[in-house]
Amino acid sequence: MAIREVVVRTRPNTSVNFSVPSENGLPNDWTAIDLASGEITSFDESFSEDGLTKTVTTIFKDEGARTNYNDNSTYRSAMNTVKAEDVSNNITKTVTITEV
């Protein structure tokens, strides 16, 4: 069964930048590569009208694909850097995972 992962990040104001994985070690085309592999079947990024909330929705083909993706050392390193930057910039994050 496919897995939807929704990550919502909220920043305190628009002068605080959202860090992105491609600035922290992932190739610029990392999303396209993963979509082409079939492990990820959908990827969407959106922002709230006020620009304070960024929502990233990823649909993985199954739980194994999501686990492999999150366990990848390059991805994990980039996301750990993003997490540290978020904490230092008072950006909150929630993750919701559901079967679809």
Side-chain angles (χ1 to χ4, degrees):
M1 184 167 289
I3 302 295
R4 176 185 295 128
E5 182 178 274
V6 179
V7 178
V8 179
R9 295 166 61 208
T10 304
R11 59 186 172 177
N13 58 63
T14 55
S15 65
V16 174
N17 291 324
F18 286 116
S19 179
V20 294
S22 61
E23 296 171 346
N24 295 297
L26 290 183
N28 288 333
D29 60 349
W30 65 276
T31 305
I33 292 168
D34 288 325
L35 283 167
S37 75
E39 297 295 300
I40 291 176
T41 60
S42 176
F43 179 86
D44 181 62
E45 183 177 82
S46 63
F47 293 87
S48 62
E49 280 190 38
D50 62 8
L52 297 178
T53 302
K54 177 180 179 179
T55 302
V56 175
T57 303
T58 308
I59 299 180
F60 297 89
K61 73 175 186 176
D62 56 26
E63 180 59 34
R66 189 183 81 80
T67 299
N68 288 340
Y69 188 79
N70 288 316
D71 286 347
N72 175 284
S73 62
T74 301
Y75 177 77
R76 181 168 296 291
S77 175
M79 295 314 296
N80 283 339
T81 301
V82 168
K83 180 179 179 178
E85 289 177 9
D86 283 357
V87 169
S88 70
N89 287 316
N90 295 315
I91 295 174
T92 61
K93 174 180 157 182
T94 61
V95 179
T96 305
I97 300 168
T98 55
E99 291 183 343
V100 292

Coordinates of all heavy atoms in Angstrom, one line a residue:
M1 N 0.8 -1.2 0.0 CA 0.0 0.0 0.0 C 0.9 1.2 0.0 O 1.9 1.3 0.7 CB -0.9 0.0 1.2 CG -1.9 1.1 1.3 SD -3.2 0.9 2.5 CE -4.1 -0.4 1.8
A2 N 0.5 2.3 -0.7 CA 1.2 3.5 -0.8 C 1.2 4.3 0.5 O 0.3 4.1 1.3 CB 0.7 4.4 -1.9
I3 N 2.2 5.1 0.8 CA 2.3 5.8 2.0 C 2.4 7.3 1.7 O 3.3 7.7 0.9 CB 3.6 5.4 2.8 CG1 3.6 3.9 3.1 CG2 3.8 6.2 4.0 CD1 2.5 3.5 4.0
R4 N 1.6 8.1 2.3 CA 1.7 9.6 2.1 C 2.4 10.1 3.4 O 2.0 9.9 4.5 CB 0.3 10.2 2.0 CG 0.3 11.7 1.9 CD -1.0 12.4 1.9 NE -1.8 12.0 0.7 CZ -3.0 11.5 0.7 NH1 -3.6 11.3 1.9 NH2 -3.6 11.2 -0.4
E5 N 3.4 10.9 3.1 CA 4.1 11.6 4.2 C 3.9 13.1 4.0 O 4.3 13.7 2.9 CB 5.6 11.3 4.2 CG 6.4 11.9 5.3 CD 7.8 11.5 5.2 OE1 8.1 10.4 5.8 OE2 8.6 12.2 4.6
V6 N 3.3 13.8 4.9 CA 3.1 15.2 4.8 C 3.9 15.9 5.9 O 3.8 15.7 7.1 CB 1.6 15.6 5.0 CG1 1.4 17.1 4.9 CG2 0.7 14.9 4.0
V7 N 4.8 16.8 5.5 CA 5.7 17.5 6.4 C 5.3 19.0 6.3 O 5.3 19.6 5.2 CB 7.2 17.4 6.0 CG1 8.1 18.2 6.9 CG2 7.6 15.9 6.0
V8 N 4.9 19.6 7.4 CA 4.5 21.0 7.5 C 5.5 21.7 8.4 O 5.7 21.3 9.6 CB 3.0 21.1 8.1 CG1 2.7 22.6 8.2 CG2 2.0 20.3 7.3
R9 N 6.1 22.7 7.8 CA 7.1 23.5 8.6 C 6.5 24.9 8.6 O 6.1 25.5 7.6 CB 8.4 23.5 7.8 CG 9.1 22.1 7.9 CD 10.2 21.9 6.9 NE 11.3 22.8 7.2 CZ 12.1 23.3 6.2 NH1 12.0 22.9 5.0 NH2 13.1 24.1 6.6
T10 N 6.6 25.5 9.8 CA 6.1 26.9 10.0 C 7.2 27.8 10.6 O 7.8 27.4 11.6 CB 4.9 26.9 11.0 OG1 3.9 26.0 10.4 CG2 4.3 28.3 11.1
R11 N 7.4 28.9 9.9 CA 8.5 29.8 10.4 C 7.9 31.0 11.1 O 6.7 31.3 10.9 CB 9.3 30.3 9.2 CG 8.6 31.0 8.1 CD 9.5 31.2 6.9 NE 8.7 31.8 5.8 CZ 9.2 32.1 4.7 NH1 10.5 32.1 4.5 NH2 8.5 32.6 3.7
P12 N 8.6 31.6 12.0 CA 8.1 32.7 12.8 C 7.7 34.0 12.0 O 6.8 34.7 12.4 CB 9.2 33.0 13.8 CG 10.4 32.4 13.3 CD 10.0 31.3 12.3
N13 N 8.5 34.2 10.9 CA 8.2 35.4 10.1 C 8.9 35.1 8.7 O 9.7 34.2 8.6 CB 8.7 36.7 10.7 CG 10.1 36.7 11.1 OD1 11.0 36.6 10.2 ND2 10.4 36.7 12.4
T14 N 8.5 36.0 7.7 CA 9.1 35.8 6.4 C 10.5 36.2 6.2 O 11.1 35.9 5.2 CB 8.2 36.5 5.3 OG1 8.1 37.9 5.7 CG2 6.8 35.9 5.3
S15 N 11.1 36.8 7.2 CA 12.5 37.1 7.1 C 13.4 35.9 7.5 O 14.6 35.9 7.2 CB 12.9 38.3 8.0 OG 12.7 38.0 9.4
V16 N 12.8 34.8 8.0 CA 13.5 33.6 8.3 C 13.3 32.7 7.0 O 12.2 32.4 6.6 CB 12.9 32.9 9.5 CG1 13.5 31.5 9.7 CG2 13.1 33.7 10.7
N17 N 14.4 32.2 6.5 CA 14.4 31.4 5.3 C 14.1 29.9 5.6 O 14.6 29.5 6.7 CB 15.6 31.5 4.4 CG 15.8 32.9 3.8 OD1 14.8 33.5 3.4 ND2 17.0 33.3 3.7
F18 N 13.4 29.2 4.8 CA 13.3 27.8 4.9 C 14.5 27.2 4.2 O 14.8 27.5 3.1 CB 12.1 27.3 4.1 CG 10.7 27.5 4.8 CD1 9.8 28.3 4.2 CD2 10.4 26.9 6.0 CE1 8.6 28.5 4.8 CE2 9.2 27.1 6.6 CZ 8.3 27.9 6.1
S19 N 15.3 26.4 5.0 CA 16.4 25.7 4.4 C 15.9 24.6 3.5 O 14.8 24.0 3.8 CB 17.2 25.1 5.5 OG 18.3 24.4 5.0
V20 N 16.6 24.3 2.4 CA 16.1 23.2 1.5 C 17.2 22.2 1.4 O 18.4 22.5 1.5 CB 15.8 23.8 0.2 CG1 14.5 24.7 0.2 CG2 16.9 24.5 -0.5
P21 N 16.8 20.9 1.2 CA 17.8 19.8 1.2 C 18.9 20.0 0.1 O 20.1 19.6 0.3 CB 17.0 18.6 0.9 CG 15.6 18.9 1.5 CD 15.5 20.4 1.2
S22 N 18.6 20.6 -1.0 CA 19.6 20.8 -2.1 C 20.7 21.8 -1.7 O 21.7 21.8 -2.3 CB 18.9 21.2 -3.4 OG 18.3 22.4 -3.2
E23 N 20.4 22.6 -0.7 CA 21.4 23.5 -0.2 C 22.3 22.8 0.9 O 23.3 23.3 1.3 CB 20.8 24.7 0.5 CG 20.0 25.6 -0.4 CD 19.2 26.7 0.3 OE1 19.1 26.6 1.5 OE2 18.8 27.6 -0.4
N24 N 21.9 21.5 1.2 CA 22.6 20.8 2.3 C 23.1 19.4 1.9 O 23.2 18.5 2.7 CB 21.7 20.7 3.5 CG 21.4 22.0 4.1 OD1 22.3 22.7 4.6 ND2 20.2 22.5 4.0
G25 N 23.5 19.3 0.6 CA 24.1 18.0 0.2 C 23.3 17.2 -0.8 O 23.9 16.3 -1.4
L26 N 22.1 17.4 -1.0 CA 21.3 16.7 -2.1 C 21.5 17.3 -3.4 O 21.6 18.5 -3.5 CB 19.9 16.5 -1.7 CG 19.5 15.7 -0.5 CD1 18.0 15.6 -0.4 CD2 20.1 14.3 -0.7
P27 N 21.5 16.6 -4.5 CA 21.6 17.2 -5.8 C 20.4 18.0 -6.1 O 19.3 17.7 -5.6 CB 21.7 16.0 -6.8 CG 21.3 14.8 -6.0 CD 21.5 15.1 -4.6
N28 N 20.5 19.0 -7.0 CA 19.4 19.9 -7.3 C 18.2 19.1 -7.9 O 17.1 19.5 -7.7 CB 19.8 21.0 -8.2 CG 20.7 22.0 -7.6 OD1 20.6 22.2 -6.4 ND2 21.5 22.7 -8.3
D29 N 18.5 18.0 -8.6 CA 17.4 17.3 -9.2 C 17.0 16.0 -8.4 O 16.5 15.1 -9.0 CB 17.8 16.9 -10.6 CG 19.1 16.0 -10.7 OD1 19.7 15.9 -9.6 OD2 19.4 15.5 -11.7
W30 N 17.2 16.0 -7.1 CA 17.0 14.8 -6.3 C 15.5 14.4 -6.4 O 15.3 13.2 -6.4 CB 17.4 15.0 -4.9 CG 16.6 16.1 -4.1 CD1 16.9 17.4 -4.1 CD2 15.5 15.9 -3.2 NE1 16.0 18.0 -3.3 CE2 15.1 17.1 -2.7 CE3 14.8 14.7 -2.8 CZ2 14.1 17.3 -1.9 CZ3 13.8 14.9 -1.9 CH2 13.4 16.2 -1.5
T31 N 14.6 15.3 -6.5 CA 13.2 14.9 -6.6 C 12.9 14.2 -7.9 O 12.3 13.1 -7.9 CB 12.3 16.1 -6.4 OG1 12.6 16.8 -5.2 CG2 10.8 15.7 -6.4
A32 N 13.4 14.7 -9.0 CA 13.2 14.1 -10.3 C 13.8 12.7 -10.3 O 13.2 11.8 -10.9 CB 13.8 15.0 -11.4
I33 N 15.0 12.5 -9.7 CA 15.6 11.2 -9.7 C 14.8 10.2 -9.0 O 14.6 9.1 -9.4 CB 17.0 11.3 -9.1 CG1 18.0 12.1 -9.9 CG2 17.6 9.9 -8.8 CD1 19.3 12.5 -9.3
D34 N 14.2 10.6 -7.8 CA 13.4 9.7 -7.0 C 12.1 9.4 -7.7 O 11.6 8.3 -7.6 CB 13.2 10.2 -5.6 CG 14.5 10.1 -4.8 OD1 15.3 9.1 -5.0 OD2 14.8 11.0 -4.0
L35 N 11.5 10.4 -8.4 CA 10.3 10.1 -9.1 C 10.5 9.2 -10.2 O 9.7 8.3 -10.5 CB 9.7 11.4 -9.6 CG 9.0 12.3 -8.6 CD1 8.7 13.7 -9.2 CD2 7.7 11.7 -8.2
A36 N 11.6 9.3 -10.9 CA 12.0 8.4 -12.0 C 12.2 7.0 -11.6 O 11.9 6.0 -12.3 CB 13.2 9.0 -12.8
S37 N 12.7 6.8 -10.4 CA 12.9 5.5 -9.9 C 11.7 4.7 -9.6 O 11.7 3.5 -9.5 CB 13.8 5.5 -8.6 OG 13.0 6.0 -7.5
G38 N 10.6 5.4 -9.4 CA 9.3 4.8 -9.0 C 9.1 4.6 -7.6 O 8.0 4.2 -7.1
E39 N 10.1 4.8 -6.7 CA 10.0 4.7 -5.3 C 9.0 5.8 -4.7 O 8.3 5.6 -3.8 CB 11.3 4.8 -4.6 CG 12.3 3.6 -5.0 CD 11.8 2.3 -4.5 OE1 11.6 2.1 -3.3 OE2 11.6 1.4 -5.4
I40 N 9.1 6.9 -5.3 CA 8.2 8.1 -5.0 C 7.3 8.2 -6.2 O 7.7 8.3 -7.3 CB 9.0 9.4 -4.7 CG1 9.8 9.2 -3.5 CG2 8.1 10.6 -4.7 CD1 10.7 10.4 -3.1
T41 N 6.0 8.2 -5.9 CA 5.0 8.4 -7.0 C 4.5 9.8 -7.1 O 3.9 10.1 -8.2 CB 3.9 7.4 -6.8 OG1 3.2 7.6 -5.6 CG2 4.4 5.9 -6.8
S42 N 4.6 10.6 -6.1 CA 4.2 12.0 -6.2 C 4.9 12.8 -5.2 O 5.3 12.4 -4.1 CB 2.7 12.0 -5.8 OG 2.2 13.3 -5.8
F43 N 5.2 14.1 -5.6 CA 5.9 15.0 -4.7 C 5.3 16.4 -5.0 O 5.2 16.8 -6.1 CB 7.4 15.0 -5.0 CG 8.2 16.0 -4.2 CD1 8.6 15.6 -2.9 CD2 8.4 17.3 -4.6 CE1 9.3 16.5 -2.1 CE2 9.1 18.2 -3.8 CZ 9.6 17.8 -2.6
D44 N 4.9 17.1 -3.9 CA 4.3 18.4 -4.1 C 4.8 19.3 -2.9 O 4.9 18.9 -1.8 CB 2.8 18.3 -4.0 CG 2.1 19.6 -4.2 OD1 2.3 20.3 -5.3 OD2 1.4 20.1 -3.3
E45 N 5.1 20.5 -3.3 CA 5.5 21.5 -2.3 C 4.6 22.7 -2.4 O 4.4 23.2 -3.6 CB 7.0 21.9 -2.6 CG 7.6 22.8 -1.6 CD 9.1 23.0 -2.0 OE1 9.3 23.8 -2.9 OE2 9.9 22.3 -1.4
S46 N 4.1 23.2 -1.3 CA 3.2 24.4 -1.4 C 3.5 25.3 -0.2 O 4.0 24.9 0.8 CB 1.7 24.0 -1.5 OG 1.4 23.3 -0.3
F47 N 3.0 26.6 -0.3 CA 3.2 27.5 0.7 C 1.8 28.2 1.1 O 1.0 28.3 0.2 CB 4.1 28.7 0.3 CG 5.5 28.2 0.1 CD1 6.0 27.7 -1.1 CD2 6.5 28.3 1.1 CE1 7.3 27.2 -1.3 CE2 7.8 27.8 1.0 CZ 8.2 27.3 -0.3
S48 N 1.7 28.5 2.3 CA 0.4 29.2 2.7 C 0.4 30.6 2.1 O 1.5 31.1 1.7 CB 0.4 29.3 4.3 OG 1.5 30.1 4.7
E49 N -0.7 31.2 2.1 CA -0.9 32.6 1.5 C 0.0 33.6 2.2 O 0.6 34.5 1.6 CB -2.3 33.1 1.6 CG -3.2 32.5 0.5 CD -4.6 33.1 0.5 OE1 -4.7 34.4 0.7 OE2 -5.5 32.4 0.2
D50 N 0.2 33.5 3.5 CA 1.0 34.4 4.2 C 2.5 34.1 4.2 O 3.4 34.8 4.6 CB 0.6 34.6 5.7 CG 0.7 33.3 6.5 OD1 1.3 32.3 6.0 OD2 0.2 33.2 7.6
G51 N 2.8 33.0 3.5 CA 4.2 32.6 3.3 C 4.9 32.0 4.6 O 6.1 31.7 4.5
L52 N 4.2 31.8 5.6 CA 4.8 31.3 6.9 C 4.8 29.8 7.0 O 5.6 29.2 7.7 CB 4.0 31.8 8.1 CG 4.1 33.4 8.2 CD1 3.3 33.8 9.5 CD2 5.5 33.9 8.4
T53 N 4.0 29.1 6.2 CA 3.9 27.6 6.3 C 4.3 27.0 4.9 O 3.7 27.4 3.9 CB 2.5 27.2 6.7 OG1 2.2 27.8 8.0 CG2 2.4 25.7 6.9
K54 N 5.2 26.0 5.0 CA 5.6 25.2 3.8 C 5.1 23.8 4.0 O 5.4 23.2 5.1 CB 7.1 25.3 3.6 CG 7.6 24.5 2.5 CD 9.1 24.6 2.4 CE 9.7 23.8 1.3 NZ 11.2 23.9 1.2
T55 N 4.4 23.3 3.1 CA 3.9 21.9 3.2 C 4.5 21.1 2.0 O 4.4 21.5 0.9 CB 2.4 21.8 3.1 OG1 1.8 22.7 4.1 CG2 1.8 20.4 3.2
V56 N 5.1 20.0 2.4 CA 5.7 19.0 1.4 C 4.9 17.7 1.6 O 5.0 17.1 2.6 CB 7.2 18.9 1.6 CG1 7.7 17.8 0.6 CG2 7.9 20.2 1.4
T57 N 4.3 17.3 0.5 CA 3.6 16.0 0.5 C 4.3 15.0 -0.5 O 4.5 15.3 -1.7 CB 2.1 16.2 0.0 OG1 1.5 17.1 0.9 CG2 1.4 14.9 0.1
T58 N 4.7 13.9 0.1 CA 5.4 12.9 -0.7 C 4.6 11.6 -0.6 O 4.2 11.2 0.5 CB 6.8 12.6 -0.2 OG1 7.5 13.9 -0.1 CG2 7.6 11.7 -1.1
I59 N 4.4 11.0 -1.8 CA 3.7 9.7 -1.7 C 4.7 8.6 -2.2 O 5.3 8.7 -3.3 CB 2.5 9.6 -2.6 CG1 1.5 10.7 -2.1 CG2 1.9 8.2 -2.6 CD1 0.2 10.8 -2.8
F60 N 5.0 7.7 -1.3 CA 5.9 6.6 -1.6 C 5.1 5.4 -2.1 O 4.0 5.2 -1.7 CB 6.7 6.2 -0.4 CG 7.6 7.3 0.2 CD1 7.1 8.2 1.1 CD2 8.9 7.4 -0.2 CE1 7.9 9.3 1.6 CE2 9.7 8.4 0.2 CZ 9.2 9.3 1.1
K61 N 5.8 4.5 -2.9 CA 5.0 3.4 -3.5 C 4.6 2.4 -2.4 O 3.6 1.8 -2.5 CB 5.8 2.7 -4.6 CG 6.9 1.8 -4.1 CD 7.6 1.1 -5.3 CE 8.6 0.1 -4.7 NZ 9.2 -0.7 -5.8
D62 N 5.4 2.4 -1.3 CA 5.0 1.5 -0.1 C 5.9 1.9 1.1 O 6.8 2.8 0.9 CB 5.2 0.0 -0.5 CG 6.6 -0.4 -1.0 OD1 7.6 0.3 -0.6 OD2 6.6 -1.4 -1.7
E63 N 5.7 1.2 2.2 CA 6.5 1.5 3.4 C 8.0 1.2 3.2 O 8.8 2.0 3.7 CB 5.9 0.8 4.6 CG 6.7 1.1 5.9 CD 6.7 2.5 6.3 OE1 5.7 3.3 6.1 OE2 7.7 3.0 6.9
G64 N 8.3 0.2 2.5 CA 9.7 -0.2 2.3 C 10.4 1.0 1.5 O 11.5 1.3 1.8
A65 N 9.7 1.5 0.5 CA 10.3 2.6 -0.2 C 10.6 3.9 0.7 O 11.6 4.5 0.6 CB 9.4 3.0 -1.4
R66 N 9.6 4.2 1.6 CA 9.7 5.3 2.5 C 10.9 5.0 3.4 O 11.7 5.9 3.7 CB 8.5 5.5 3.3 CG 8.5 6.8 4.1 CD 7.2 7.0 4.9 NE 7.3 6.2 6.1 CZ 7.9 6.6 7.2 NH1 8.6 7.7 7.3 NH2 7.9 5.8 8.3
T67 N 11.0 3.8 4.0 CA 12.1 3.5 4.9 C 13.4 3.6 4.2 O 14.4 4.2 4.7 CB 11.8 2.0 5.4 OG1 10.6 2.0 6.2 CG2 13.0 1.6 6.4
N68 N 13.5 3.0 3.0 CA 14.8 3.1 2.3 C 15.2 4.5 2.0 O 16.4 4.9 2.1 CB 14.7 2.3 0.9 CG 14.7 0.8 1.1 OD1 15.1 0.3 2.2 ND2 14.2 0.1 0.2
Y69 N 14.3 5.3 1.6 CA 14.5 6.7 1.3 C 15.0 7.4 2.6 O 16.0 8.1 2.5 CB 13.2 7.4 0.8 CG 13.4 8.8 0.3 CD1 13.9 9.0 -1.0 CD2 13.0 9.9 1.1 CE1 14.0 10.3 -1.4 CE2 13.1 11.1 0.6 CZ 13.6 11.4 -0.6 OH 13.7 12.6 -1.1
N70 N 14.3 7.3 3.7 CA 14.7 8.0 4.9 C 16.0 7.4 5.5 O 16.7 8.1 6.3 CB 13.6 7.9 5.9 CG 12.5 8.8 5.5 OD1 12.7 10.0 5.1 ND2 11.2 8.4 5.6
D71 N 16.4 6.2 5.2 CA 17.6 5.6 5.7 C 18.8 5.9 4.8 O 19.9 5.6 5.2 CB 17.5 4.1 5.8 CG 16.6 3.7 7.0 OD1 16.3 4.5 7.9 OD2 16.2 2.5 7.1
N72 N 18.6 6.4 3.6 CA 19.7 6.8 2.7 C 20.6 7.8 3.4 O 20.2 8.8 3.9 CB 19.1 7.4 1.4 CG 20.2 7.8 0.5 OD1 20.8 8.9 0.7 ND2 20.5 7.1 -0.5
S73 N 21.9 7.5 3.5 CA 22.8 8.3 4.3 C 23.0 9.7 3.7 O 23.1 10.7 4.5 CB 24.2 7.7 4.3 OG 24.8 7.5 3.0
T74 N 22.9 9.9 2.4 CA 23.0 11.3 1.9 C 21.8 12.1 2.2 O 21.9 13.2 2.7 CB 23.2 11.2 0.3 OG1 24.4 10.5 0.0 CG2 23.3 12.6 -0.3
Y75 N 20.6 11.5 2.1 CA 19.4 12.1 2.4 C 19.3 12.4 3.9 O 19.0 13.6 4.3 CB 18.2 11.3 2.0 CG 16.8 11.9 2.4 CD1 16.3 12.9 1.6 CD2 16.1 11.4 3.5 CE1 15.1 13.5 2.0 CE2 14.9 12.0 3.8 CZ 14.4 13.1 3.1 OH 13.2 13.6 3.4
R76 N 19.6 11.5 4.7 CA 19.6 11.6 6.2 C 20.5 12.8 6.6 O 20.1 13.6 7.4 CB 20.0 10.4 6.9 CG 19.9 10.5 8.4 CD 19.9 9.2 9.1 NE 18.8 8.3 8.9 CZ 17.6 8.5 9.3 NH1 17.3 9.6 9.9 NH2 16.6 7.6 9.1
S77 N 21.7 12.8 6.1 CA 22.6 13.9 6.4 C 22.1 15.3 6.0 O 22.1 16.2 6.9 CB 24.0 13.7 5.7 OG 24.9 14.8 6.0
A78 N 21.5 15.4 4.9 CA 21.0 16.7 4.4 C 19.8 17.1 5.3 O 19.6 18.2 5.7 CB 20.5 16.6 3.0
M79 N 18.9 16.1 5.6 CA 17.7 16.4 6.5 C 18.1 16.7 7.9 O 17.5 17.5 8.6 CB 16.7 15.3 6.4 CG 16.1 15.1 5.0 SD 15.6 16.6 4.2 CE 14.3 17.2 5.3
N80 N 19.2 16.1 8.4 CA 19.7 16.4 9.8 C 20.2 17.9 9.8 O 20.0 18.6 10.8 CB 20.8 15.5 10.2 CG 20.2 14.2 10.7 OD1 19.0 14.0 11.0 ND2 21.0 13.1 10.6
T81 N 20.8 18.3 8.7 CA 21.2 19.7 8.6 C 20.1 20.7 8.6 O 20.0 21.7 9.3 CB 22.2 19.9 7.4 OG1 23.3 19.1 7.5 CG2 22.6 21.4 7.3
V82 N 19.0 20.3 7.8 CA 17.8 21.1 7.7 C 17.2 21.2 9.1 O 16.8 22.3 9.5 CB 16.8 20.5 6.7 CG1 15.5 21.2 6.8 CG2 17.4 20.7 5.2
K83 N 17.1 20.1 9.8 CA 16.5 20.0 11.1 C 17.2 21.0 12.1 O 16.6 21.7 12.8 CB 16.5 18.6 11.7 CG 15.9 18.5 13.0 CD 15.9 17.0 13.5 CE 15.3 16.9 14.9 NZ 15.2 15.5 15.3
A84 N 18.5 20.9 12.1 CA 19.3 21.8 13.0 C 19.1 23.3 12.6 O 19.0 24.1 13.5 CB 20.8 21.4 12.8
E85 N 19.0 23.6 11.3 CA 18.8 25.0 10.9 C 17.4 25.4 11.4 O 17.2 26.5 11.8 CB 19.0 25.1 9.4 CG 20.4 25.0 9.0 CD 20.6 25.1 7.5 OE1 19.7 25.4 6.8 OE2 21.7 24.9 7.1
D86 N 16.4 24.5 11.2 CA 15.0 24.8 11.6 C 15.0 25.1 13.1 O 14.4 26.1 13.5 CB 14.1 23.6 11.3 CG 13.7 23.5 9.9 OD1 14.1 24.4 9.1 OD2 13.0 22.6 9.5
V87 N 15.6 24.3 13.9 CA 15.6 24.5 15.4 C 16.3 25.9 15.7 O 15.7 26.6 16.5 CB 16.4 23.3 16.1 CG1 16.6 23.7 17.6 CG2 15.6 22.1 16.0
S88 N 17.4 26.2 15.1 CA 18.1 27.4 15.4 C 17.3 28.6 14.9 O 17.4 29.7 15.4 CB 19.5 27.4 14.8 OG 19.4 27.5 13.4
N89 N 16.4 28.4 13.9 CA 15.5 29.5 13.4 C 14.1 29.5 13.9 O 13.3 30.2 13.4 CB 15.6 29.5 11.9 CG 16.9 29.9 11.3 OD1 17.5 30.9 11.7 ND2 17.4 29.2 10.3
N90 N 13.8 28.7 14.9 CA 12.5 28.6 15.5 C 11.4 28.2 14.5 O 10.3 28.7 14.6 CB 12.1 29.9 16.2 CG 13.0 30.2 17.4 OD1 13.3 29.3 18.2 ND2 13.4 31.4 17.5
I91 N 11.8 27.3 13.6 CA 10.8 26.7 12.7 C 10.3 25.4 13.2 O 11.1 24.6 13.6 CB 11.5 26.5 11.3 CG1 11.9 27.8 10.7 CG2 10.6 25.7 10.4 CD1 12.7 27.7 9.4
T92 N 9.0 25.3 13.3 CA 8.4 24.1 13.9 C 8.1 23.2 12.7 O 7.9 23.6 11.5 CB 7.1 24.4 14.6 OG1 6.2 25.0 13.8 CG2 7.4 25.3 15.8
K93 N 8.0 21.9 13.0 CA 7.8 20.9 12.0 C 6.8 19.8 12.6 O 7.0 19.3 13.7 CB 9.1 20.2 11.6 CG 9.0 19.1 10.6 CD 10.4 18.5 10.3 CE 10.4 17.1 9.9 NZ 11.7 16.6 9.6
T94 N 5.9 19.4 11.7 CA 5.0 18.3 12.1 C 5.0 17.3 10.9 O 5.1 17.8 9.7 CB 3.6 18.7 12.4 OG1 3.0 19.3 11.2 CG2 3.5 19.6 13.6
V95 N 5.0 16.0 11.1 CA 5.0 15.0 10.1 C 3.8 14.1 10.3 O 3.6 13.6 11.4 CB 6.3 14.2 10.1 CG1 6.3 13.1 9.1 CG2 7.5 15.1 10.0
T96 N 3.0 13.9 9.3 CA 1.9 13.0 9.3 C 2.1 11.9 8.2 O 2.3 12.2 7.1 CB 0.6 13.8 9.0 OG1 0.5 14.8 10.0 CG2 -0.6 12.8 9.2
I97 N 2.0 10.6 8.7 CA 2.2 9.5 7.7 C 0.9 8.7 7.7 O 0.4 8.3 8.8 CB 3.4 8.7 8.2 CG1 4.6 9.5 8.2 CG2 3.5 7.4 7.3 CD1 5.8 8.9 8.9
T98 N 0.3 8.5 6.5 CA -0.9 7.7 6.4 C -0.8 6.8 5.2 O 0.0 7.0 4.2 CB -2.1 8.6 6.1 OG1 -1.9 9.5 5.0 CG2 -2.4 9.5 7.4
E99 N -1.5 5.7 5.2 CA -1.6 4.8 4.1 C -2.6 5.3 3.1 O -3.7 5.8 3.6 CB -2.0 3.4 4.6 CG -0.9 2.6 5.3 CD -1.3 1.2 5.7 OE1 -2.5 0.9 5.6 OE2 -0.4 0.4 6.0
V100 N -2.4 5.2 1.9 CA -3.3 5.7 0.9 C -3.6 4.6 -0.2 O -2.8 3.7 -0.4 CB -2.9 7.0 0.2 CG1 -2.9 8.1 1.2 CG2 -1.5 6.9 -0.4

